[in-house]
């Protein structure tokens, strides 16, 4: 019996599945939807073959030299976050903005403060966090940027992201303790957030996150384009730039605009009463 080292390595390597775990499939997808889903699946296979940074579930930060620059300036981001959290109870739940998230989160314990995503942005929120916005511009291929707020007791069940053409960064901003009560699992690797430290991972692997402490955890949540070689780089660019026209993104934008209008109108009314 011969030993095949390559085959053994393939069996031991982390596996990405094509499809989104814990996201309910469409009951009767249209022909257009089936066609688009087929393109995405083909692009995901191409991305795995053409990655310039490999395909691990969790990356060594040294793979991305700009990560150290983001970490150095984290106190400025934390300072702006503290002002945002003065109205923490009024921030939107993640599923209120992105309704497809309702398959994994339906309570109010996962909140967000959105800055930008897939070519769309919140100018009001950016005006309140100018340093954060300046700092995230250092991230090549920035696609989304927001604060992700896990309140006490929050647990996101195992799931995977919709597409492997982007990677995710969590920058720890408020991390109440270092223990297994507060962690994220990516594939088989359990990771812990640290204040001022970046955690970079591929959310196309199954992952889950939890905050079983009695305090709030907050990270800067960023998606950025995965470094790819040709032709995957071109296909990825096309897909990511088409995303802004999809119903999920458009609906999320409309939901955020409605929340933003109410949030800042209430803030203006409060200022006027004080005057």
């Amino acid at each position: 019996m011969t030993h095949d080292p390559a085959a053994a390595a393939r069996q031991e390597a982390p596996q990405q599945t094509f499809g989104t775990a814990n996201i309910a499939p469409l009951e009767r997808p249209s022909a257009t939807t089936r066609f688009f889903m087929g393109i995405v699946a083909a692009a995901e296979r191409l991305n795995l073959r053409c990655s310039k940074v490999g395909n691990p579930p969790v990356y060594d930060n040294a793979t991305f030299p700009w990560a150290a620059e983001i970490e150095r300036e984290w106190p400025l981001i934390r300072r702006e976050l503290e002002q945002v959290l003065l109205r923490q109870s009024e921030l939107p739940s993640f599923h209120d903005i992105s309704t497809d998230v309702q398959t994994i989160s339906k309570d109010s314990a996962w909140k967000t403060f959105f800055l930008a995503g897939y070519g769309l942005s919140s100018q009001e929120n950016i005006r309140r966090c100018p340093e954060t916005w300046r700092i995230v511009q250092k991230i090549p291929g920035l696609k989304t940027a927001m604060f992700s707020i896990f309140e006490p007791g929050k647990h996101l069940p195992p799931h995977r992201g919709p597409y492997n053409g982007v990677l995710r960064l969590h920058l720890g901003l408020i991390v109440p303790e270092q223990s297994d009560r507060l962690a994220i699992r990516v594939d088989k690797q359990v990771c812990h957030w640290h204040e001022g430290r970046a955690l970079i991972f591929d959310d196309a692997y199954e992952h889950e996150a939890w905050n079983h402490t009695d305090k709030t955890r907050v990270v800067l949540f960023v998606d950025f384009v995965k470094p790819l070689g040709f032709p995957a780089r071109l296909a990825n660019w096309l897909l990511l730039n088409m995303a802004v026209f999809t119903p999920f993104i458009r609906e999320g934008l409309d939901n955020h605009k409605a929340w933003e209008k109410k949030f800042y109108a209430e803030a203006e009314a409060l200022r006027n009463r004080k005057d």
Side-chain angles (χ1 to χ4, degrees):
M1 181 176 179
T2 60
H3 175 65
D4 184 347
R10 285 194 297 271
Q11 290 178 352
E12 294 174 2
Q15 298 296 310
Q16 284 187 355
T17 57
F18 299 103
T20 305
N22 284 348
I23 300 296
L26 298 174
E27 291 184 3
R28 293 176 181 166
S30 67
T32 301
T33 299
R34 291 196 303 272
F35 176 73
F36 183 74
M37 290 169 66
I39 291 176
V40 170
E44 288 206 308
R45 290 188 288 270
L46 187 62
N47 292 343
L48 289 174
R49 292 199 301 272
C50 297
S51 174
K52 290 184 173 182
V53 291
N55 299 294
V58 179
Y59 284 85
D60 184 330
N61 287 358
T63 306
F64 305 97
W66 48 261
E69 296 184 47
I70 305 301
E71 290 177 333
R72 277 195 294 271
E73 298 203 82
W74 86 275
L76 298 176
I77 302 175
R78 167 70 179 260
R79 196 172 305 148
E80 292 182 337
L81 167 67
E82 289 171 350
Q83 292 302 306
V84 169
L85 292 181
L86 293 176
R87 297 179 68 186
Q88 181 174 336
S89 64
E90 301 171 65
L91 299 179
S93 299
F94 209 111
H95 69 270
D96 289 335
I97 302 299
S98 183
T99 55
D100 56 311
V101 171
Q102 291 180 10
T103 58
I104 58 172
S105 180
K106 295 183 179 180
D107 58 37
S108 61
W110 185 18
K111 296 183 179 297
T112 182
F113 188 78
F114 170 85
L115 297 176
Y118 292 90
L120 309 172
S121 61
S122 170
Q123 293 306 311
E124 288 290 346
N125 288 357
I126 288 171
R127 270 194 285 273
R128 279 151 181 80
C129 300
E131 288 299 309
T132 301
W133 185 241
R134 175 187 63 79
I135 293 165
V136 298
Q137 299 307 301
K138 298 180 179 184
I139 301 175
L142 176 72
K143 298 307 292 183
T144 66
M146 66 190 79
F147 294 132
S148 173
I149 302 157
F150 261 29
E151 296 186 339
K154 184 58 184 173
H155 190 135
L156 280 184
H159 61 287
R160 69 148 284 185
Y163 178 57
N164 70 2
V166 294
L167 298 176
R168 180 155 297 165
L169 174 143
H170 283 180
L171 177 69
L173 298 175
I174 297 178
V175 184
E177 68 176 62
Q178 293 298 318
S179 78
D180 286 340
R181 298 198 303 163
L182 180 64
I184 179 170
R185 176 185 63 81
V186 185
D187 195 53
K188 297 182 177 74
Q189 187 170 344
V190 175
C191 304
H192 298 88
W193 298 283
H194 298 268
E195 292 184 359
R197 291 292 308 278
L199 171 66
I200 302 174
F201 63 97
D202 186 341
D203 82 320
Y205 288 98
E206 181 185 270
H207 59 286
E208 64 179 314
W210 56 90
N211 177 12
H212 296 159
T213 77
D214 59 359
K215 296 179 181 177
T216 297
R217 181 240 64 180
V218 186
V219 299
L220 176 68
F221 175 116
V222 168
D223 284 340
F224 62 95
V225 177
K226 185 175 186 176
L228 300 167
F230 186 83
R233 182 174 66 252
L234 176 59
N236 197 39
W237 182 88
L238 290 170
L239 278 175
L240 292 176
N241 282 277
M242 287 170 56
V244 70
F245 302 107
T246 63
F248 290 128
I249 300 297
R250 303 306 305 183
E251 182 183 26
L253 175 63
D254 291 342
N255 291 341
H256 188 274
K257 283 183 175 178
W259 169 82
E260 187 180 72
K261 183 177 180 180
K262 179 182 178 183
F263 183 80
Y264 289 109
E266 289 174 352
E268 184 64 26
L270 181 62
R271 279 196 296 271
N272 290 338
R273 281 199 297 272
K274 288 181 178 178
D275 293 342

